């Protein structure tokens, strides 16, 4: 699954949207939600007849099971399902019907039989009915202006909303799926269509799909509607990209990505794609970004469908990463699946790491390693909060399992795998992946299986490294002494952003530390819990995170840091510059450096030719303006400094041209947005004129620059611009264009227009998948924060009606953007009396962020004032 927690906001706001896990939930009672081990399914024959008008479905299933001990009761998972009849035939040929008792709290049904069912193979037949819900999970209804669709989303624990099943990842089985649907409609499922026959009845037809391979229930998928597809083929696999009508022109980009990635993965994994076909389906209503159902990947439309002529670079990169992320899961997750949800990080960390590796191979000109380095800074900041969790944590209830899909499972786990690959070498690591997948194909495995395979292949202590990173919460900071005579002293401790938290001195890691060298690039040493010094290369410049791929913070002695700043543009690669800036920002947060030190480093990077370096370093300037500056004068002075520092850099860029590299396009847009956001009047005028040109003819302006211009224009915009953007959202057929326009509505700072945007978000006219994101953006934009929060409080019933589970928690988490004790208490009190489902962890995290901001401001605001005064002199 690809979660969408951050694509809408500047990096500094990312953590506002990250849901955080509950680690304190008692596992004793939760453990009871696991199914008994006495019954193991091997095959399901499933038939569904959905009624898209009534939003209901009828289903029947036959499950082949193996019973270990004779029993009178069988427990499986079901919720929102009405059982019509239950029958079992056991290994002695005894057939009998059963009674059903439901436990909605455990989401289980227990089937009881008057006569004891014998051990051995048995067949369970169940007739049932259910609802096509509007919760974006289970078997659910998605709508367009024209019609209804019936679609599925089962990860993590929602297959049980569509059919009674043994809904645990290790209970793998094969599936025969059959759908009886309206004449004229099509159906897509995991396997290819085996037969399509008229009836029953004159206006129906029945589509039967070929048997699936052995797989987990959460990977089953089926969709019904009038989807239209573009077809292709790669390495003997039939590929289709499908969407609701009118969007075929937006499917060819994804098909090209899929063809590249299928071939790339066939080679990388050394295992041919295990199915005959692979479909990619854009769903109008979809909570996550995308879902890796075996052979039938489903997507939020923006993550699949785009027009390469008018899509921004960020939109293309986002869709490409999502597509290849889900394709990586076909092997790593679908073919080999985690034994239980506590190891979901291995799935998601692997796909997060692999999506960037595959995209980098497809588009070396996109500078993906820098993008990864910048992303890692965000993850390190989140992991330096006391509420972070260990990568592997217990999760037993559906609510606990859902909360495992967080930046730790994705970003941190991905960063750990990147570090290990960097240490072992690409080919050795690949062989470890191949060995792991081959040993467990069509089965389940644990994290130990993975790192033991890597340890066996590499003969290096991968088990110790991964164990120390996976089982312990938080991240290390390495304090380096002055390197001398080929050695450097080092002490490691857990790093917290807040200076008031003291780390436990017993917490230590085993880590590969790679020093930068002029010749071969890097020299890696293993740091163990007892290490006090490491061998260093004989190099004039001392940098302890070569390539920026190590998952740790570094702190240098003053002379070494000074030398790094002096040579930042000549001595370090772009990824290393991003890493250095991130480390320095962490030092500011920990009160070991001042905001002035950080801004001096930003000034040293002002002419950086790399867009990712610039955006990563200047993202924290926005944070300083929002969370450190306490007065209008300070913000004005900081704005003036940004304009005088970066204005000349922007002026030096040559005019945009058709053949500009993605970096050139991004760099221009970054500088443009930076100056526009810090009040440059010339850029504002340009933004208004570019926005007008774009709205008149979207092909007339570079799309990446156009998006930056629209944001700035909206910020200062009037009702006429608001109307145009709202109209674009309502009339465009391009999901990417729609989403951008909707996002811009909530950037208007004119209070009457912001009020219109907020009312619109809560009106029911905006899809549930988007409405909460609007509110989250409103809370993230400093100028719109108070009004958005007041709106949420005063329109609570309408606001809450827009929430799906994940989206409600996102809004709660976004209140962490406040920075005062009054606002903190207000947030806490409001949600105490207006509870939001599955959001306790998000609320704790938000409160922690507010407290962190109060502390940061009190420590650093005097430093900012002093530094700004010095600049003006
Ligand atoms: Zn995923």
């Amino acid at each position: 699954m690809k979660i969408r927690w951050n694509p809408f906001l500047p990096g500094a706001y990312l953590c506002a949207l990250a849901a955080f896990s509950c680690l304190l939930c008692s596992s004793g009672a939760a453990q009871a939600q696991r199914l008994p081990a006495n019954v193991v399914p091997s095959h399901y024959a499933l038939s569904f007849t959905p009624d898209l008008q009534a939003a209901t479905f009828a289903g029947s299933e036959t499950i082949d099971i193996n019973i270990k001990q004779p029993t009178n009761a069988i427990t499986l998972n079901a919720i929102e399902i009405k059982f019509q009849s239950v029958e079992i035939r056991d290994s002695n040929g005894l057939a009998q019907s059963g009674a059903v008792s439901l436990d909605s709290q455990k989401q289980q049904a227990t089937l009881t039989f008057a006569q004891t069912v014998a051990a051995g193979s048995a067949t369970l037949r169940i007739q049932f009915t259910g609802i096509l819900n509007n919760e974006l999970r289970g078997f659910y209804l998605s709508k367009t202006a024209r019609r209804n669709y019936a679609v599925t989303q089962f990860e993590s624990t929602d297959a049980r909303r569509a059919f009674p099943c043994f809904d645990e990842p290790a209970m793998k089985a094969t599936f025969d799926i059959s759908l009886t649907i309206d004449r004229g409609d099509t159906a897509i499922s995991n396997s290819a269509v085996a037969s399509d026959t008229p009836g029953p009845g004159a206006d129906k037809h029945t589509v039967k799909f070929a048997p699936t391979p052995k797989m987990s229930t959460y990977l089953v998928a089926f969709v019904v509607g009038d989807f239209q597809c573009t077809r292709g083929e790669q390495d003997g696999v039939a590929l289709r990209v499908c969407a609701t009508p009118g969007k075929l022109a937006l499917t060819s980009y994804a098909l090209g990505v899929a063809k590249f990635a299928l071939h790339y993965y066939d080679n990388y994994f050394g295992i041919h794609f295990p199915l005959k076909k692979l479909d990619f389906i854009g769903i109008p209503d979809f909570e996550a970004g995308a879902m890796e159902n075996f052979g039938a990947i489903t997507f939020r439309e923006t993550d699949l469908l785009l027009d390469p002529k008018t899509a921004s670079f960020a939109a293309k990169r986002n869709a490409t990463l999502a597509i290849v992320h889900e394709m990586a899961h076909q092997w790593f997750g679908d073919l080999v699946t985690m034994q239980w949800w506590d190891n979901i990080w291995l799935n998601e960390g692997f796909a997060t790491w692999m999506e960037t590796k595959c995209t980098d191979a497809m588009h070396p000109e996109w500078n993906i390693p820098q993008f990864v380095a910048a992303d890692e800074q965000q993850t390190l900041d989140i992991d330096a909060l006391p509420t972070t969790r260990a990568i592997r944590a217990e999760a037993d209830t559906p609510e606990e399992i859902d909360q495992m899909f967080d930046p730790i499972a994705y970003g941190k786990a991905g960063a750990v795998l990147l570090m290990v690959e960097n240490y072992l070498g690409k080919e050795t690591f690949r062989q470890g992946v191949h060995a792991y997948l081959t040993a467990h194909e069509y089965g389940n495995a644990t994290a130990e299986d993975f790192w033991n395979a890597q340890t066996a292949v590499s003969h290096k202590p991968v088990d110790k490294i991964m164990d120390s990173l996976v089982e312990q919460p938080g991240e290390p900071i390495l304090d380096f002494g002055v390197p001398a005579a080929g050695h450097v002293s080092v002490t490691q401790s857990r790093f917290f952003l807040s200076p008031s938290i003291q780390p436990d001195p017993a917490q230590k890691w085993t880590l590969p530390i790679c020093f930068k060298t002029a010749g071969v690039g890097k020299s890696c040493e293993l740091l163990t819990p007892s290490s006090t010094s490491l061998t260093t290369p004989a190099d004039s410049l001392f940098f302890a995170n070569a390539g920026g791929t190590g998952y740790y913070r570094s702190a240098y002695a003053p002379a070494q840091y000074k030398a790094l700043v002096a040579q930042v543009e000549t001595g370090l690669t772009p990824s290393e510059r991003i890493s250095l800036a991130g480390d320095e920002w962490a030092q500011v947060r920990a009160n070991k450096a001042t905001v002035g030190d950080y801004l001096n480093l930003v000034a040293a990077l002002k002419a950086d030719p790399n867009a990712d370096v610039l955006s990563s370093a200047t993202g924290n300037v926005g944070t300083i303006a929002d969370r450190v500056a306490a007065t209008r004068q300070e913000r004005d002075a900081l704005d003036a400094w940004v304009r005088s520092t970066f204005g000349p850099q922007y002026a030096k860029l040559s005019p945009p041209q058709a053949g500009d590299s993605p970096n050139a396009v991004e760099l221009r847009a970054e500088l443009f947005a930076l100056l526009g956001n810090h009040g440059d009047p010339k850029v504002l005028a340009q933004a208004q004129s570019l926005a007008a040109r774009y709205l008149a003819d979207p092909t007339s302006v570079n799309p990446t620059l156009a998006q930056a211009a629209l944001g700035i224009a909206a910020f200062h915009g009037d009702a006429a611009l608001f109307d145009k953007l709202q109209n674009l959202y309502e009339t465009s057929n391009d999901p990417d264009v729609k989403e951008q326009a909707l996002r811009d509505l909530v950037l208007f700072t004119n209070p009457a227009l912001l009020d219109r945007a907020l009312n619109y978000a809560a009106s029911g006219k905006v899809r549930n998948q988007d409405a909460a994101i609007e509110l989250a953006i409103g809370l993230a934009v400093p100028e719109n924060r108070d009004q958005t929060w007041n709106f949420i409080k005063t329109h609570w019933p309408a606001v809450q009606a827009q929430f799906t589970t994940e989206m409600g928690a996102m809004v709660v988490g976004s209140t962490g953007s406040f920075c005062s004790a009054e606002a903190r208490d207000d947030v806490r009190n409001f949600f105490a009396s207006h509870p939001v489902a599955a959001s306790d962890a998000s609320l704790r995290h938000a409160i922690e962020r507010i407290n962190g901001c109060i502390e940061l401001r009190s420590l650093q605001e005097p430093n900012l004032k002093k530094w700004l005064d010095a600049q003006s002199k």
Side-chain angles (χ1 to χ4, degrees):
M1 188 147 59
K2 178 105 172 149
I3 298 288
R4 296 208 90 190
W5 49 57
N6 65 344
F8 299 87
L9 301 177
Y13 300 130
L14 178 143
C15 40
L17 296 187
F20 251 75
S21 266
C22 169
L23 304 177
L24 306 169
C25 315
S26 71
S27 58
Q31 202 69 32
Q33 292 205 209
R34 299 288 291 271
L35 294 172
N38 192 39
V39 179
V40 179
S42 58
H43 179 73
Y44 293 75
L46 291 165
S47 301
F48 295 94
T49 306
D51 182 335
L52 274 55
Q53 288 313 309
T56 58
F57 63 89
S60 70
E61 65 179 344
T62 304
I63 317 177
D64 297 338
I65 54 177
N66 192 276
I67 300 173
K68 291 180 188 164
Q69 300 290 331
T71 184
N72 288 79
I74 292 174
T75 299
L76 39 56
N77 295 109
I79 183 83
E80 288 179 356
I81 296 276
K82 279 205 177 109
F83 286 74
Q84 309 297 324
S85 68
V86 171
E87 198 184 284
I88 196 163
R89 177 181 293 272
D90 70 11
S91 56
N92 297 333
L94 172 69
Q96 56 179 318
S97 57
V100 182
S101 66
L102 296 169
D103 183 336
S104 62
Q105 203 258 320
K106 289 186 182 170
Q107 306 187 353
Q108 290 176 352
T110 297
L111 318 177
T112 50
F113 302 96
Q115 292 175 270
T116 302
V117 181
S121 10
T123 306
L124 202 51
R125 284 177 212 284
I126 305 174
Q127 309 279 337
F128 54 94
T129 57
I131 53 164
L132 298 172
N133 68 63
N134 55 12
E135 301 288 314
L136 312 190
R137 55 181 57 206
F139 199 8
Y140 71 90
L141 205 63
S142 177
K143 295 178 183 179
T144 66
R146 290 175 37 257
R147 58 163 293 155
N148 292 351
Y149 296 82
V151 300
T152 59
Q153 166 62 36
F154 291 163
E155 191 175 27
S156 306
T157 55
D158 293 310
R160 64 191 67 170
R161 289 174 202 273
F163 57 101
C165 57
F166 299 85
D167 199 9
E168 297 189 355
M171 299 245 194
K172 285 196 172 186
T174 52
F175 295 82
D176 281 336
I177 296 168
S178 161
L179 287 157
T180 298
I181 56 176
D182 290 345
R183 200 171 58 187
D185 273 359
T186 57
I188 304 170
S189 185
N190 303 89
S191 298
V193 172
S195 69
D196 187 346
T197 49
D203 50 2
K204 298 276 182 196
H205 65 128
T206 299
V207 182
K208 281 190 162 61
F209 296 91
T212 70
K214 205 174 161 195
M215 62 190 231
S216 306
T217 45
Y218 80 90
L219 295 167
V220 172
F222 33 90
V223 302
V224 179
D226 56 356
F227 293 96
Q228 298 178 340
C229 309
T230 297
R231 288 157 200 274
E233 183 267 321
Q234 183 68 49
D235 296 7
V237 177
L239 301 173
R240 293 189 301 178
V241 180
C242 308
T244 57
K247 297 183 181 130
L248 270 186
L250 307 175
T251 55
S252 52
Y253 179 80
L255 186 63
V257 172
K259 289 174 82 163
F260 179 95
L262 193 93
H263 186 68
Y264 179 86
Y265 289 147
D266 270 354
N267 283 329
Y268 185 86
F269 294 121
I271 300 171
H272 184 53
F273 180 69
L275 301 175
K276 291 197 177 72
K277 68 92 177 171
L278 179 56
D279 291 323
F280 303 78
I281 311 139
I283 308 286
D285 299 275
F286 199 82
E287 187 171 47
M291 176 62 211
E292 69 266 24
N293 315 300
F294 215 177
I297 306 174
T298 43
F299 290 81
R300 188 180 268 245
E301 289 185 333
T302 43
D303 285 21
L304 182 71
L305 308 172
L306 59 80
D307 178 350
K309 289 193 297 299
T310 55
S312 67
F313 170 63
K316 278 187 214 168
R317 183 174 60 193
N318 177 54
T320 306
L321 290 169
I323 293 163
V324 305
H325 175 110
E326 305 308 334
M327 289 179 74
H329 276 313
Q330 302 296 305
W331 286 262
F332 209 105
D334 295 4
L335 184 63
V336 178
T337 310
M338 70 277 151
Q339 187 73 25
W340 181 249
W341 298 105
D342 59 341
N343 275 319
I344 186 63
W345 67 271
L346 189 56
N347 263 12
E348 295 306 347
F350 187 89
T352 299
W353 164 78
M354 185 50 109
E355 75 186 42
T356 57
K357 190 179 175 73
C358 176
T359 301
D360 188 33
M362 196 182 324
H363 288 293
E365 77 285 7
W366 284 8
N367 295 331
I368 291 293
Q370 283 105 269
F371 172 76
V372 172
D375 201 49
E376 184 163 329
Q377 300 314 310
Q378 312 274 356
T379 307
L380 282 162
D381 282 352
I382 291 170
D383 203 22
L385 298 170
T387 49
T388 191
R389 65 176 179 94
I391 287 180
R392 179 155 61 188
E394 277 186 33
D396 287 291
T397 66
E399 204 167 282
E400 288 166 16
I401 292 165
D402 277 351
Q403 294 189 71
M404 296 294 277
F405 292 79
D406 70 1
I408 300 303
Y410 287 74
K412 182 178 182 180
V416 166
L417 294 172
L418 174 66
M419 176 161 69
V420 172
E421 186 206 28
N422 191 47
Y423 178 54
L424 302 187
K426 289 179 166 52
E427 178 54 22
T428 304
F429 187 82
R430 192 197 69 76
Q431 285 171 15
V433 171
H434 174 78
Y436 165 80
L437 290 177
T438 312
H440 303 284
E441 57 183 3
Y442 301 107
N444 297 76
T446 65
E448 282 75 6
D449 293 324
F450 180 77
W451 67 58
N452 291 340
Q454 291 291 357
T455 305
V457 167
S458 66
H459 308 293
K460 287 187 175 169
V462 181
D463 47 354
K464 291 203 173 62
I465 295 167
M466 290 197 69
D467 184 72
S468 96
L469 287 156
V470 166
E471 301 293 352
Q472 306 189 82
E475 73 208 26
I477 182 161
L478 310 181
D479 268 288
F480 292 100
V482 177
H487 285 84
V488 66
S489 68
V490 60
T491 55
Q492 59 158 310
S493 56
R494 180 168 171 188
F495 178 70
F496 290 102
L497 287 178
S498 167
S500 56
I501 301 171
Q502 289 307 309
D504 172 0
Q507 190 174 354
K508 306 273 183 196
W509 283 261
T510 300
L511 293 174
I513 307 299
C514 297
F515 297 105
K516 185 175 178 64
T517 63
V520 291
K522 68 179 187 211
S523 152
C524 300
E525 293 280 308
L526 194 71
L527 177 85
T528 68
S530 60
S531 303
T532 54
S533 95
L534 294 171
T535 307
T536 58
D539 236 85
S540 56
L541 194 65
F542 177 72
F543 185 69
N545 196 345
T549 53
Y551 191 78
Y552 50 88
R553 291 284 182 207
S554 307
Y556 299 96
Q560 276 64 46
Y561 178 71
K562 210 173 150 195
L564 284 169
V565 176
Q567 296 175 62
V568 66
E569 288 294 344
T570 51
L572 299 183
T573 66
S575 295
E576 291 165 350
R577 302 201 283 273
I578 290 167
S579 170
L580 180 72
D583 282 346
E584 183 62 5
W585 177 245
Q587 291 292 93
V588 174
R589 294 295 310 264
N591 206 33
K592 301 240 170 77
T594 67
V595 279
D597 296 332
Y598 183 79
L599 291 166
N600 289 337
L601 177 59
V602 173
L605 291 166
K606 69 179 179 188
D608 203 290
N610 188 284
D612 292 303
V613 176
L614 191 80
S615 71
S616 190
T618 59
N620 288 324
V621 177
T623 308
I624 293 169
D626 183 22
R627 292 173 90 72
V628 178
T631 64
R632 185 69 257 168
Q633 288 108 306
E634 285 168 3
R635 279 189 281 274
D636 287 347
L638 192 59
D639 284 348
W641 176 79
V642 168
R643 292 194 301 267
S644 66
T645 306
F646 291 96
Q649 304 305 322
Y650 180 65
K652 275 187 211 161
L653 297 178
S654 46
Q657 286 171 16
D660 280 344
S661 69
N663 180 62
V665 169
E666 279 276 279
L667 183 68
R668 167 174 298 280
E670 285 288 346
L671 282 167
F672 185 78
L674 180 68
L675 293 168
N677 291 337
H678 288 275
D680 186 309
K682 266 194 280 186
V683 166
L684 172 59
Q686 270 182 28
Q688 285 164 333
S689 116
L690 284 170
R693 266 171 57 198
Y694 172 85
L695 290 168
D697 174 9
T699 61
S700 68
V701 185
N702 175 287
T704 302
L705 194 59
Q707 292 313 330
L710 281 168
I712 297 166
F715 193 83
H716 300 276
D718 59 11
L721 181 63
F722 190 99
D723 291 342
K724 279 187 187 147
L725 285 166
Q726 188 174 11
N727 183 54
L728 186 62
Y729 170 70
E730 287 175 354
T731 57
S732 173
N733 199 33
D734 182 327
D736 181 48
V737 170
K738 282 172 91 76
E739 184 184 87
Q740 299 276 359
L742 183 65
R743 174 195 335 179
D744 288 334
L745 291 183
V746 86
L747 298 180
F748 281 79
T749 51
N750 174 313
L753 297 175
L754 177 60
D755 192 54
R756 269 181 69 187
L758 295 169
N759 272 297
Y760 192 50
S763 66
K765 290 180 189 148
V766 173
R767 291 185 188 279
N768 283 2
Q769 64 174 16
D770 299 322
I773 293 170
E774 291 299 283
L775 300 171
I777 295 173
L779 288 168
V781 176
E783 289 78 359
N784 291 354
R785 188 171 296 144
D786 288 337
Q787 191 178 333
T788 303
W789 178 231
N790 282 328
F791 179 87
I792 290 171
K793 288 189 292 182
T794 50
H795 295 73
W796 183 246
V799 166
Q800 202 185 21
Q802 313 302 317
F803 289 170
T804 55
T805 310
E806 200 177 291
M807 294 292 160
M810 178 195 281
V811 170
V812 173
S814 300
T815 57
S817 56
F818 283 109
C819 197
S820 72
E822 300 93 288
R824 176 197 61 207
D825 296 345
D826 186 33
V827 164
R828 192 187 273 146
N829 293 337
F830 182 77
F831 288 121
S833 56
H834 300 79
V836 176
S839 72
D840 352 342
S842 297
L843 181 60
R844 276 202 303 281
H845 184 54
I847 299 296
E848 184 184 332
R849 285 192 66 231
I850 300 173
N851 286 334
C853 184
I854 295 168
E855 185 182 38
L856 174 70
R857 184 172 286 170
S858 78
L859 291 170
Q860 291 288 344
E861 194 261 346
N863 295 331
L864 177 65
K865 192 167 180 329
K866 209 187 300 172
W867 185 86
L868 288 169
D869 286 348
Q871 301 307 305
S872 64
K873 274 168 199 152

